[in-house]
Amino acid sequence: MKIAAIEAIPYSIPYLHPLHFASGSVHEADHVLIRLRTDDGVVGIADTPPRPYTYGETQKSIVAVVEDIFAPQLIGVDIFDREKVQAILYRTVHNQTAKGAVDIALWDVIGKTLGQPVTKLLGGYTDSLRVSHMLGFKPAEELLALALEFRGTYGINTFKLKTGRRPLHLDVEAARVLREGLGEDAELYMDANRGWSANEAAEVLRRTADLGLQFLEEPDDAREVLGRRRLVASSPIPIAADESVPNLGEAAREILTGGANLLAVKTARSGFTEAAKIVGMAEGMGIDVYIGNQIDTQVGTAASVTFGAAFAHTAKRAAELSNYLDMADDLLAEPLAITGGRIRVPEGPGVGTAVDEDKLSLYRTDK
């Protein structure tokens, strides 16, 4: 059972509702589908989201590094030699989401080979997760209407508000309108995507202190070292690290040096193997985590659900799993469903990411 081939297939699917945030915007899912084949014909699948403004990767760079660098080195490696695969991948610096997708595709192959769901191989804690929905830049009343629609249709009652705008009152008003319109039972938190300075973030926290916000994600650039640590030390709510902690080492650094006291875990950038190490480290240090969203397709979302449901520590908080609903279409053969504010782990062996080949043929951009 050895790796025989790895494909990287670029494709593009438009979004019905583009998402705008402080570090960029997304109008189309210009992603890369990874297919890993074994010598006995088993195929593992994963999705890769290029985010040049976050990780520096593009659709073309992902295809190139997977097919030109990773595949030649990994062909012939036994599928169960996961640490050997990790060592090979990490000879190449950066390329975080490309590495993560290869790892997820490998786990998919392992699950299918063993006839077991990957969520059980990882830990098997639960079969579903609570869902959090991300709200992008819009006028406050439009955000409230959208949140109420998602609550009424899907039962979602946790919302992540994209912030980081100037003047600051735009985001303060949005948070206040959401709290007043959704009531005290709704869980709300903010994500500034590094859009503010530490001082501006402190001012926003002061103005929203009465709103019962859960936490604030990436308020400023983590390289604003002294300001960030002053903010974490003085904040009444946790400060979460996301794009500043793309791997295990940087996650450890930010927690140990006071740059954050909450961690986002995204399988799109860390795969399952490194993500499990991050979760274990965080649990050991008494740091909460939550499953983040890379504006994932249903293929990527299925991977997040598979991983998040495997561990008690990741299942504590609502996971960001619903933004595929903003897409015009998807590649997953059996669509995911959100019911009562929860999403279930796909059933069957592997990750549960069978692809509709007709749709892949329609949306791929390399043919």
Side-chain angles (χ1 to χ4, degrees):
M1 292 174 285
K2 299 182 185 299
I3 298 171
I6 306 176
E7 292 180 272
I9 304 169
Y11 69 92
S12 181
I13 299 176
Y15 276 80
L16 292 171
H17 308 289
L19 188 68
H20 301 278
F21 40 95
S23 59
S25 61
V26 175
H27 297 264
E28 294 181 314
D30 291 319
H31 290 200
V32 180
L33 187 75
I34 302 300
R35 287 201 293 211
L36 187 151
R37 300 178 184 273
T38 69
D39 54 5
D40 54 353
V42 180
V43 178
I45 294 168
D47 192 55
T48 318
R51 296 290 176 263
Y53 41 78
T54 302
Y55 308 118
E57 293 170 281
T58 67
Q59 194 177 52
K60 289 182 178 179
S61 77
I62 290 169
V63 171
V65 77
V66 170
E67 294 192 341
D68 298 343
I69 298 179
F70 295 160
Q73 296 180 69
L74 291 172
I75 289 172
V77 176
D78 190 289
I79 63 170
F80 292 104
D81 292 343
R82 292 186 296 102
E83 282 298 302
K84 182 183 292 184
V85 170
Q86 288 288 303
I88 291 170
L89 292 175
Y90 279 84
R91 290 175 190 162
T92 302
V93 299
H94 308 306
N95 295 283
Q96 200 69 37
T97 67
K99 294 172 184 175
V102 170
D103 182 70
I104 292 170
L106 180 66
W107 273 99
D108 193 25
V109 159
I110 290 171
K112 290 172 179 175
T113 298
L114 297 176
Q116 292 292 323
V118 168
T119 194
K120 290 190 177 295
L121 297 178
L122 288 168
Y125 178 71
T126 185
D127 61 1
S128 68
L129 294 174
R130 285 191 301 123
V131 175
S132 169
H133 186 71
M134 290 196 298
L135 300 169
F137 288 172
K138 289 180 185 294
E141 293 299 334
E142 290 184 29
L143 290 172
L144 175 58
L146 189 59
L148 289 170
E149 178 186 342
F150 273 85
R151 183 160 70 178
T153 303
Y154 302 104
I156 296 172
N157 203 35
T158 301
F159 296 95
K160 173 183 192 169
L161 175 62
K162 288 290 189 179
T163 58
R165 292 180 290 180
R166 297 182 179 89
L168 301 180
H169 73 79
L170 293 172
D171 292 329
V172 173
E173 178 192 11
R176 190 165 297 281
V177 167
L178 283 172
R179 172 56 74 205
E180 291 173 354
L182 293 172
E184 293 300 318
D185 291 339
E187 296 181 356
L188 301 175
Y189 58 100
M190 296 188 295
D191 175 14
N193 287 114
R194 315 183 305 280
W196 295 320
S197 68
N199 288 337
E200 287 172 320
E203 176 63 14
V204 171
L205 289 173
R206 185 185 69 79
R207 295 192 202 177
T208 59
D210 61 328
L211 299 183
L213 300 178
Q214 287 192 317
F215 59 89
L216 171 59
E217 180 184 308
E218 293 294 5
D220 64 329
D221 194 318
R223 292 173 297 184
E224 191 186 10
V225 178
L226 293 180
R228 177 66 166 258
R229 278 139 187 80
R230 183 177 67 250
L231 181 68
V232 173
S234 63
S235 174
I237 59 176
I239 301 298
D242 176 14
E243 50 263 52
S244 61
V245 292
N247 55 49
L248 175 63
E250 292 182 69
R253 180 201 62 207
E254 287 303 295
I255 294 300
L256 291 172
T257 62
N261 46 20
L262 180 64
L263 290 176
V265 176
K266 291 182 175 177
T267 58
R269 69 173 174 229
S270 56
F272 293 162
T273 301
E274 187 171 32
K277 295 176 181 178
I278 293 170
V279 171
M281 177 198 71
E283 185 174 9
M285 292 195 293
I287 298 295
D288 272 3
V289 301
Y290 59 100
I291 298 296
N293 191 304
Q294 207 57 71
I295 318 176
D296 296 307
T297 63
Q298 290 193 46
V299 176
T301 300
S304 294
V305 178
T306 288
F307 181 85
F311 302 94
H313 204 51
T314 48
K316 287 179 182 178
R317 292 177 178 264
E320 296 166 6
L321 302 168
S322 60
N323 279 86
Y324 69 83
L325 295 169
D326 291 329
M327 293 180 61
D329 203 352
D330 216 290
L331 299 182
L332 204 62
E334 294 292 333
L336 299 172
I338 300 171
T339 305
R342 301 186 73 87
I343 189 166
R344 293 183 64 85
V345 178
E347 296 181 356
V351 179
T353 48
V355 165
D356 184 320
E357 293 297 332
D358 290 336
K359 288 186 177 182
L360 179 59
S361 296
L362 176 64
Y363 293 116
R364 66 187 299 170
T365 57
D366 61 345
K367 302 240 174 164

